[in-house]
Amino acid sequence: MKLYYTPGACSLAVHIAAREAGLPLTLEKVDLATRKTETGADFAAINPKGYVPAVALPEGEVLTEAAALLLFVADRQPEAGLAPAPATMERHRLHEWLAFITSEIHKGFGPLWNPSTPDSVKQATKDKLAQRFTYLDKVLAQQPFLTGERFTVADAYLFTVTNWANYHAVDLTPYANLRAFLDRVAARPKVQEALAAEGLLKQAA
Ligand SMILES: N[C@@H](CCC(=O)N[C@@H](CS)C(=O)NCC(=O)O)C(=O)O
């Protein structure tokens, strides 16, 4: 499968999940400003919604939406254990986390990416994110990953979007458990591979 991605964007979650699953993956970078891919293709013709992530499947279909893609990746390689079995309570909990991350954290950062957002709205956005991070910090005080002891695709997603705090001076200092979670996920070899492939690892001086 081919992942259309932009370095560090929400597509990174799908990238991490695919590597964790051991799925064969090719990457095609998208310039969101020009809507062109690195091979010169018109991205709007690939995903008319105009945003990453998008995955072109070997069968010829293009699938979009981070949460849907994360479940797709997990289900394509169930033995990797990145999602509980369908129709179990554990699976519903995973859906619950994916919906929370999409709507409260991923889109919770939305106004901070827009240069025309007034400062007052930026501050209100950060205040709301702080409430969500406080909640996550309490959950992660009890367990290493969102659904418990096991890394799932929801952790790849939370890792990706919480790291946007670094771009927007959102202070994560109060959330020791959340910061420990970010370190725990960052230390995973497949996560390091994904970060390196997207050019996101700092070079040693
Ligand atoms: N609803 C989509 C939103 C994806 C999204 O926000 N993508 C961002 C990068 S993280 C993007 O490509 N933004 C460019 C745009 O919206 O034009 C999803 O959940 O996958």
Side-chain angles (χ1 to χ4, degrees), residues 1 13-25 55 57 63 65-86 90-91 94-95 98 147 150-157:
M1 59 188 225
V14 181
H15 184 178
I16 290 171
R19 284 182 189 265
E20 290 274 355
L23 287 178
L25 184 72
V55 166
L57 302 175
L63 194 62
E65 302 300 322
L69 287 166
L70 289 166
L71 291 170
F72 172 84
V73 165
D75 288 346
R76 194 86 164 191
Q77 203 73 4
E79 54 280 15
L82 294 173
E90 291 77 14
R91 177 71 168 223
L94 178 68
H95 290 191
L98 292 174
T147 59
R150 222 189 149 108
F151 177 88
T152 70
V153 290
D155 300 299
Y157 197 7

Short mmCIF file of all heavy atoms in Angstrom, two decimals, residues 1 13-25 55 57 63 65-86 90-91 94-95 98 147 150-157:
data_model
loop_
_atom_site.label_atom_id
_atom_site.label_comp_id
_atom_site.label_asym_id
_atom_site.label_seq_id
_atom_site.Cartn_x
_atom_site.Cartn_y
_atom_site.Cartn_z
N MET A 1 0.84 -1.20 0.00
CA MET A 1 0.00 0.00 0.00
C MET A 1 0.88 1.25 0.00
O MET A 1 2.01 1.21 0.46
CB MET A 1 -0.93 0.00 1.22
CG MET A 1 -0.24 -0.05 2.57
SD MET A 1 -1.46 -0.27 3.89
CE MET A 1 -0.88 0.94 5.05
N ALA A 13 0.74 8.85 12.19
CA ALA A 13 0.12 7.78 13.00
C ALA A 13 -0.08 6.53 12.15
O ALA A 13 0.20 5.40 12.58
CB ALA A 13 -1.21 8.27 13.57
N VAL A 14 -0.55 6.72 10.93
CA VAL A 14 -0.78 5.58 10.03
C VAL A 14 0.55 4.96 9.63
O VAL A 14 0.69 3.73 9.54
CB VAL A 14 -1.58 6.05 8.79
CG1 VAL A 14 -1.86 4.89 7.86
CG2 VAL A 14 -2.90 6.71 9.23
N HIS A 15 1.52 5.82 9.40
CA HIS A 15 2.87 5.36 9.04
C HIS A 15 3.43 4.46 10.16
O HIS A 15 3.91 3.34 9.91
CB HIS A 15 3.74 6.60 8.83
CG HIS A 15 5.13 6.32 8.36
ND1 HIS A 15 6.03 7.32 8.09
CD2 HIS A 15 5.80 5.15 8.14
CE1 HIS A 15 7.18 6.77 7.70
NE2 HIS A 15 7.06 5.47 7.73
N ILE A 16 3.33 4.94 11.40
CA ILE A 16 3.82 4.14 12.55
C ILE A 16 3.06 2.82 12.62
O ILE A 16 3.67 1.75 12.77
CB ILE A 16 3.64 4.94 13.86
CG1 ILE A 16 4.62 6.12 13.90
CG2 ILE A 16 3.83 4.03 15.08
CD1 ILE A 16 4.38 7.09 15.05
N ALA A 17 1.74 2.89 12.51
CA ALA A 17 0.93 1.68 12.64
C ALA A 17 1.31 0.66 11.56
O ALA A 17 1.42 -0.55 11.84
CB ALA A 17 -0.55 2.03 12.54
N ALA A 18 1.52 1.12 10.34
CA ALA A 18 1.88 0.20 9.25
C ALA A 18 3.21 -0.48 9.53
O ALA A 18 3.38 -1.69 9.29
CB ALA A 18 1.90 0.95 7.93
N ARG A 19 4.17 0.29 10.05
CA ARG A 19 5.47 -0.32 10.37
C ARG A 19 5.34 -1.29 11.54
O ARG A 19 5.94 -2.36 11.55
CB ARG A 19 6.51 0.77 10.68
CG ARG A 19 7.02 1.46 9.44
CD ARG A 19 8.08 2.50 9.75
NE ARG A 19 8.36 3.28 8.56
CZ ARG A 19 9.36 3.03 7.70
NH1 ARG A 19 10.18 2.03 7.92
NH2 ARG A 19 9.53 3.79 6.63
N GLU A 20 4.55 -0.90 12.55
CA GLU A 20 4.35 -1.80 13.69
C GLU A 20 3.67 -3.10 13.24
O GLU A 20 3.92 -4.17 13.78
CB GLU A 20 3.49 -1.12 14.77
CG GLU A 20 4.19 0.02 15.50
CD GLU A 20 5.03 -0.44 16.69
OE1 GLU A 20 4.99 -1.64 17.01
OE2 GLU A 20 5.74 0.41 17.27
N ALA A 21 2.80 -2.99 12.25
CA ALA A 21 2.08 -4.17 11.74
C ALA A 21 2.95 -5.01 10.81
O ALA A 21 2.61 -6.16 10.52
CB ALA A 21 0.82 -3.72 10.99
N GLY A 22 4.03 -4.42 10.33
CA GLY A 22 4.89 -5.13 9.37
C GLY A 22 4.29 -5.19 7.98
O GLY A 22 4.59 -6.09 7.20
N LEU A 23 3.44 -4.22 7.66
CA LEU A 23 2.84 -4.19 6.32
C LEU A 23 3.80 -3.55 5.32
O LEU A 23 4.43 -2.53 5.65
CB LEU A 23 1.55 -3.36 6.35
CG LEU A 23 0.33 -3.96 7.02
CD1 LEU A 23 -0.82 -2.97 6.98
CD2 LEU A 23 -0.07 -5.26 6.34
N PRO A 24 3.89 -4.09 4.12
CA PRO A 24 4.71 -3.43 3.10
C PRO A 24 4.12 -2.06 2.77
O PRO A 24 2.91 -1.94 2.58
CB PRO A 24 4.62 -4.36 1.89
CG PRO A 24 3.79 -5.53 2.30
CD PRO A 24 3.21 -5.28 3.64
N LEU A 25 5.00 -1.06 2.75
CA LEU A 25 4.52 0.32 2.65
C LEU A 25 5.42 1.11 1.71
O LEU A 25 6.64 1.02 1.82
CB LEU A 25 4.58 0.94 4.05
CG LEU A 25 4.05 2.35 4.25
CD1 LEU A 25 2.53 2.35 4.17
CD2 LEU A 25 4.49 2.88 5.61
N VAL A 55 -4.45 6.54 1.73
CA VAL A 55 -3.75 5.29 1.43
C VAL A 55 -4.31 4.72 0.14
O VAL A 55 -5.53 4.52 0.01
CB VAL A 55 -3.89 4.27 2.59
CG1 VAL A 55 -3.45 2.88 2.14
CG2 VAL A 55 -3.05 4.70 3.79
N LEU A 57 -4.59 1.53 -1.99
CA LEU A 57 -4.49 0.10 -1.74
C LEU A 57 -4.10 -0.64 -3.01
O LEU A 57 -4.40 -0.17 -4.12
CB LEU A 57 -5.85 -0.42 -1.26
CG LEU A 57 -6.37 0.26 0.01
CD1 LEU A 57 -7.78 -0.22 0.34
CD2 LEU A 57 -5.43 -0.03 1.16
N LEU A 63 -8.26 4.99 0.45
CA LEU A 63 -8.98 5.10 1.72
C LEU A 63 -8.40 6.29 2.48
O LEU A 63 -7.18 6.53 2.45
CB LEU A 63 -8.78 3.80 2.52
CG LEU A 63 -9.66 3.53 3.73
CD1 LEU A 63 -11.14 3.43 3.33
CD2 LEU A 63 -9.24 2.22 4.41
N GLU A 65 -9.06 9.21 6.08
CA GLU A 65 -9.46 9.42 7.48
C GLU A 65 -8.57 8.59 8.40
O GLU A 65 -8.58 7.36 8.37
CB GLU A 65 -10.94 9.14 7.75
CG GLU A 65 -11.88 9.99 6.90
CD GLU A 65 -11.72 11.50 7.12
OE1 GLU A 65 -11.50 11.95 8.26
OE2 GLU A 65 -11.81 12.24 6.12
N ALA A 66 -7.84 9.32 9.24
CA ALA A 66 -6.82 8.68 10.09
C ALA A 66 -7.39 7.52 10.90
O ALA A 66 -6.82 6.42 10.92
CB ALA A 66 -6.19 9.73 11.01
N ALA A 67 -8.52 7.73 11.56
CA ALA A 67 -9.06 6.67 12.43
C ALA A 67 -9.44 5.44 11.62
O ALA A 67 -9.16 4.30 12.03
CB ALA A 67 -10.26 7.20 13.21
N ALA A 68 -10.04 5.66 10.46
CA ALA A 68 -10.43 4.54 9.60
C ALA A 68 -9.18 3.80 9.10
O ALA A 68 -9.16 2.55 9.05
CB ALA A 68 -11.25 5.04 8.42
N LEU A 69 -8.15 4.56 8.76
CA LEU A 69 -6.93 3.94 8.26
C LEU A 69 -6.21 3.15 9.35
O LEU A 69 -5.64 2.09 9.09
CB LEU A 69 -6.01 5.02 7.68
CG LEU A 69 -6.50 5.57 6.33
CD1 LEU A 69 -5.76 6.85 5.97
CD2 LEU A 69 -6.31 4.52 5.24
N LEU A 70 -6.26 3.66 10.57
CA LEU A 70 -5.60 2.95 11.67
C LEU A 70 -6.27 1.60 11.90
O LEU A 70 -5.60 0.57 12.08
CB LEU A 70 -5.63 3.80 12.95
CG LEU A 70 -4.71 5.02 12.90
CD1 LEU A 70 -5.03 5.98 14.03
CD2 LEU A 70 -3.24 4.59 12.96
N LEU A 71 -7.59 1.57 11.86
CA LEU A 71 -8.31 0.30 12.03
C LEU A 71 -8.07 -0.63 10.83
O LEU A 71 -7.93 -1.83 10.99
CB LEU A 71 -9.81 0.55 12.21
CG LEU A 71 -10.17 1.22 13.54
CD1 LEU A 71 -11.62 1.67 13.54
CD2 LEU A 71 -9.90 0.29 14.71
N PHE A 72 -8.00 -0.02 9.65
CA PHE A 72 -7.71 -0.81 8.45
C PHE A 72 -6.36 -1.51 8.58
O PHE A 72 -6.23 -2.72 8.34
CB PHE A 72 -7.71 0.11 7.21
CG PHE A 72 -7.24 -0.59 5.99
CD1 PHE A 72 -8.11 -1.36 5.23
CD2 PHE A 72 -5.91 -0.51 5.59
CE1 PHE A 72 -7.66 -2.05 4.11
CE2 PHE A 72 -5.46 -1.18 4.47
CZ PHE A 72 -6.34 -1.95 3.72
N VAL A 73 -5.35 -0.75 9.00
CA VAL A 73 -4.00 -1.32 9.14
C VAL A 73 -4.01 -2.43 10.19
O VAL A 73 -3.46 -3.53 9.97
CB VAL A 73 -3.00 -0.20 9.54
CG1 VAL A 73 -1.69 -0.78 10.06
CG2 VAL A 73 -2.74 0.72 8.35
N ALA A 74 -4.66 -2.17 11.33
CA ALA A 74 -4.69 -3.18 12.40
C ALA A 74 -5.37 -4.45 11.92
O ALA A 74 -4.92 -5.57 12.21
CB ALA A 74 -5.40 -2.61 13.63
N ASP A 75 -6.45 -4.30 11.18
CA ASP A 75 -7.22 -5.47 10.74
C ASP A 75 -6.55 -6.20 9.57
O ASP A 75 -6.83 -7.37 9.33
CB ASP A 75 -8.64 -5.06 10.33
CG ASP A 75 -9.47 -4.70 11.55
OD1 ASP A 75 -9.06 -5.03 12.68
OD2 ASP A 75 -10.54 -4.09 11.37
N ARG A 76 -5.69 -5.48 8.86
CA ARG A 76 -4.99 -6.12 7.74
C ARG A 76 -3.97 -7.13 8.27
O ARG A 76 -3.58 -8.06 7.58
CB ARG A 76 -4.32 -5.01 6.92
CG ARG A 76 -3.82 -5.40 5.57
CD ARG A 76 -4.93 -5.29 4.52
NE ARG A 76 -4.37 -5.30 3.19
CZ ARG A 76 -5.03 -5.00 2.09
NH1 ARG A 76 -6.30 -4.67 2.13
NH2 ARG A 76 -4.45 -5.04 0.93
N GLN A 77 -3.52 -6.92 9.51
CA GLN A 77 -2.45 -7.77 10.09
C GLN A 77 -2.83 -8.06 11.54
O GLN A 77 -2.16 -7.61 12.47
CB GLN A 77 -1.13 -6.98 10.02
CG GLN A 77 0.12 -7.79 10.05
CD GLN A 77 0.37 -8.51 8.75
OE1 GLN A 77 -0.35 -8.38 7.76
NE2 GLN A 77 1.39 -9.33 8.74
N PRO A 78 -3.93 -8.82 11.78
CA PRO A 78 -4.43 -8.98 13.15
C PRO A 78 -3.42 -9.60 14.10
O PRO A 78 -3.42 -9.30 15.31
CB PRO A 78 -5.66 -9.89 13.00
CG PRO A 78 -5.80 -10.20 11.57
CD PRO A 78 -4.71 -9.54 10.79
N GLU A 79 -2.52 -10.43 13.56
CA GLU A 79 -1.55 -11.09 14.45
C GLU A 79 -0.56 -10.10 15.07
O GLU A 79 0.11 -10.42 16.06
CB GLU A 79 -0.80 -12.23 13.72
CG GLU A 79 -0.11 -11.88 12.44
CD GLU A 79 -1.05 -11.82 11.22
OE1 GLU A 79 -2.28 -11.77 11.35
OE2 GLU A 79 -0.50 -11.78 10.12
N ALA A 80 -0.49 -8.88 14.53
CA ALA A 80 0.38 -7.87 15.14
C ALA A 80 -0.22 -7.33 16.45
O ALA A 80 0.47 -6.68 17.23
CB ALA A 80 0.63 -6.72 14.16
N GLY A 81 -1.51 -7.57 16.67
CA GLY A 81 -2.12 -7.20 17.96
C GLY A 81 -2.26 -5.70 18.17
O GLY A 81 -2.23 -5.23 19.30
N LEU A 82 -2.46 -4.96 17.09
CA LEU A 82 -2.57 -3.50 17.22
C LEU A 82 -3.99 -3.03 17.51
O LEU A 82 -4.22 -1.84 17.71
CB LEU A 82 -2.06 -2.82 15.94
CG LEU A 82 -0.56 -3.01 15.68
CD1 LEU A 82 -0.18 -2.47 14.31
CD2 LEU A 82 0.26 -2.32 16.77
N ALA A 83 -4.94 -3.97 17.51
CA ALA A 83 -6.33 -3.67 17.86
C ALA A 83 -6.97 -4.95 18.39
O ALA A 83 -6.67 -6.04 17.89
CB ALA A 83 -7.11 -3.17 16.65
N PRO A 84 -7.84 -4.82 19.39
CA PRO A 84 -8.56 -6.01 19.86
C PRO A 84 -9.49 -6.54 18.76
O PRO A 84 -9.81 -5.83 17.80
CB PRO A 84 -9.37 -5.49 21.06
CG PRO A 84 -8.77 -4.18 21.41
CD PRO A 84 -8.19 -3.62 20.16
N ALA A 85 -9.95 -7.77 18.96
CA ALA A 85 -10.82 -8.40 17.95
C ALA A 85 -12.12 -7.62 17.80
O ALA A 85 -12.64 -7.07 18.78
CB ALA A 85 -11.12 -9.83 18.39
N PRO A 86 -12.65 -7.55 16.56
CA PRO A 86 -13.91 -6.85 16.32
C PRO A 86 -15.03 -7.38 17.21
O PRO A 86 -15.05 -8.56 17.58
CB PRO A 86 -14.21 -7.14 14.85
CG PRO A 86 -12.87 -7.40 14.25
CD PRO A 86 -12.06 -8.06 15.32
N GLU A 90 -13.41 -4.63 24.30
CA GLU A 90 -12.08 -4.00 24.16
C GLU A 90 -11.99 -3.23 22.83
O GLU A 90 -11.40 -2.16 22.77
CB GLU A 90 -10.97 -5.07 24.22
CG GLU A 90 -10.78 -5.72 25.57
CD GLU A 90 -11.85 -6.77 25.90
OE1 GLU A 90 -12.59 -7.20 24.97
OE2 GLU A 90 -11.96 -7.14 27.09
N ARG A 91 -12.60 -3.79 21.82
CA ARG A 91 -12.59 -3.11 20.51
C ARG A 91 -13.41 -1.81 20.59
O ARG A 91 -13.01 -0.79 20.04
CB ARG A 91 -13.17 -4.05 19.45
CG ARG A 91 -13.28 -3.45 18.06
CD ARG A 91 -11.91 -3.25 17.42
NE ARG A 91 -12.08 -2.95 16.03
CZ ARG A 91 -11.34 -3.48 15.05
NH1 ARG A 91 -10.34 -4.29 15.33
NH2 ARG A 91 -11.57 -3.17 13.80
N LEU A 94 -11.37 0.78 22.07
CA LEU A 94 -10.41 1.34 21.11
C LEU A 94 -11.11 2.39 20.24
O LEU A 94 -10.58 3.48 20.01
CB LEU A 94 -9.79 0.24 20.24
CG LEU A 94 -8.81 0.74 19.19
CD1 LEU A 94 -7.55 1.30 19.83
CD2 LEU A 94 -8.45 -0.36 18.20
N HIS A 95 -12.30 2.09 19.77
CA HIS A 95 -13.07 3.06 18.97
C HIS A 95 -13.31 4.33 19.78
O HIS A 95 -13.23 5.45 19.25
CB HIS A 95 -14.41 2.47 18.56
CG HIS A 95 -14.32 1.38 17.53
ND1 HIS A 95 -15.40 0.87 16.88
CD2 HIS A 95 -13.26 0.70 17.03
CE1 HIS A 95 -15.03 -0.07 16.03
NE2 HIS A 95 -13.74 -0.20 16.12
N LEU A 98 -10.18 6.31 19.70
CA LEU A 98 -9.92 6.92 18.39
C LEU A 98 -10.82 8.14 18.18
O LEU A 98 -10.37 9.18 17.66
CB LEU A 98 -10.11 5.90 17.27
CG LEU A 98 -9.08 4.76 17.22
CD1 LEU A 98 -9.47 3.73 16.17
CD2 LEU A 98 -7.68 5.30 16.94
N THR A 147 -5.25 1.72 26.09
CA THR A 147 -6.23 0.66 26.38
C THR A 147 -5.72 -0.30 27.45
O THR A 147 -6.41 -1.26 27.77
CB THR A 147 -6.58 -0.15 25.11
OG1 THR A 147 -5.38 -0.72 24.60
CG2 THR A 147 -7.22 0.73 24.05
N ARG A 150 -1.09 -2.96 26.46
CA ARG A 150 -0.64 -3.24 25.10
C ARG A 150 -0.68 -2.01 24.21
O ARG A 150 -1.67 -1.27 24.25
CB ARG A 150 -1.59 -4.29 24.50
CG ARG A 150 -0.88 -5.32 23.74
CD ARG A 150 -1.79 -6.23 22.97
NE ARG A 150 -1.00 -6.59 21.82
CZ ARG A 150 -0.48 -7.79 21.63
NH1 ARG A 150 -0.72 -8.75 22.47
NH2 ARG A 150 0.27 -8.01 20.57
N PHE A 151 0.35 -1.82 23.40
CA PHE A 151 0.38 -0.74 22.41
C PHE A 151 -0.65 -1.03 21.32
O PHE A 151 -0.69 -2.14 20.78
CB PHE A 151 1.78 -0.66 21.80
CG PHE A 151 1.93 0.37 20.72
CD1 PHE A 151 2.28 1.68 21.01
CD2 PHE A 151 1.72 0.02 19.38
CE1 PHE A 151 2.42 2.63 19.99
CE2 PHE A 151 1.86 0.96 18.36
CZ PHE A 151 2.22 2.26 18.68
N THR A 152 -1.48 -0.04 21.01
CA THR A 152 -2.44 -0.19 19.91
C THR A 152 -2.30 0.99 18.95
O THR A 152 -1.56 1.95 19.22
CB THR A 152 -3.91 -0.22 20.40
OG1 THR A 152 -4.26 1.09 20.86
CG2 THR A 152 -4.12 -1.25 21.51
N VAL A 153 -3.09 0.96 17.89
CA VAL A 153 -3.06 2.05 16.92
C VAL A 153 -3.47 3.38 17.56
O VAL A 153 -3.05 4.45 17.10
CB VAL A 153 -3.95 1.74 15.70
CG1 VAL A 153 -3.34 0.63 14.86
CG2 VAL A 153 -5.38 1.41 16.09
N ALA A 154 -4.28 3.33 18.63
CA ALA A 154 -4.66 4.58 19.30
C ALA A 154 -3.44 5.27 19.91
O ALA A 154 -3.36 6.50 19.94
CB ALA A 154 -5.70 4.29 20.39
N ASP A 155 -2.47 4.48 20.37
CA ASP A 155 -1.25 5.07 20.94
C ASP A 155 -0.42 5.75 19.86
O ASP A 155 0.18 6.81 20.09
CB ASP A 155 -0.45 3.98 21.66
CG ASP A 155 -1.25 3.36 22.79
OD1 ASP A 155 -1.63 4.10 23.72
OD2 ASP A 155 -1.53 2.15 22.73
N ALA A 156 -0.39 5.13 18.68
CA ALA A 156 0.33 5.77 17.56
C ALA A 156 -0.29 7.12 17.23
O ALA A 156 0.40 8.11 16.94
CB ALA A 156 0.29 4.86 16.33
N TYR A 157 -1.61 7.17 17.30
CA TYR A 157 -2.35 8.41 16.97
C TYR A 157 -2.12 9.48 18.06
O TYR A 157 -1.80 10.63 17.76
CB TYR A 157 -3.83 8.04 16.84
CG TYR A 157 -4.73 9.02 16.14
CD1 TYR A 157 -4.25 10.15 15.48
CD2 TYR A 157 -6.11 8.78 16.10
CE1 TYR A 157 -5.12 11.01 14.82
CE2 TYR A 157 -6.98 9.64 15.45
CZ TYR A 157 -6.48 10.76 14.82
OH TYR A 157 -7.35 11.61 14.18
#
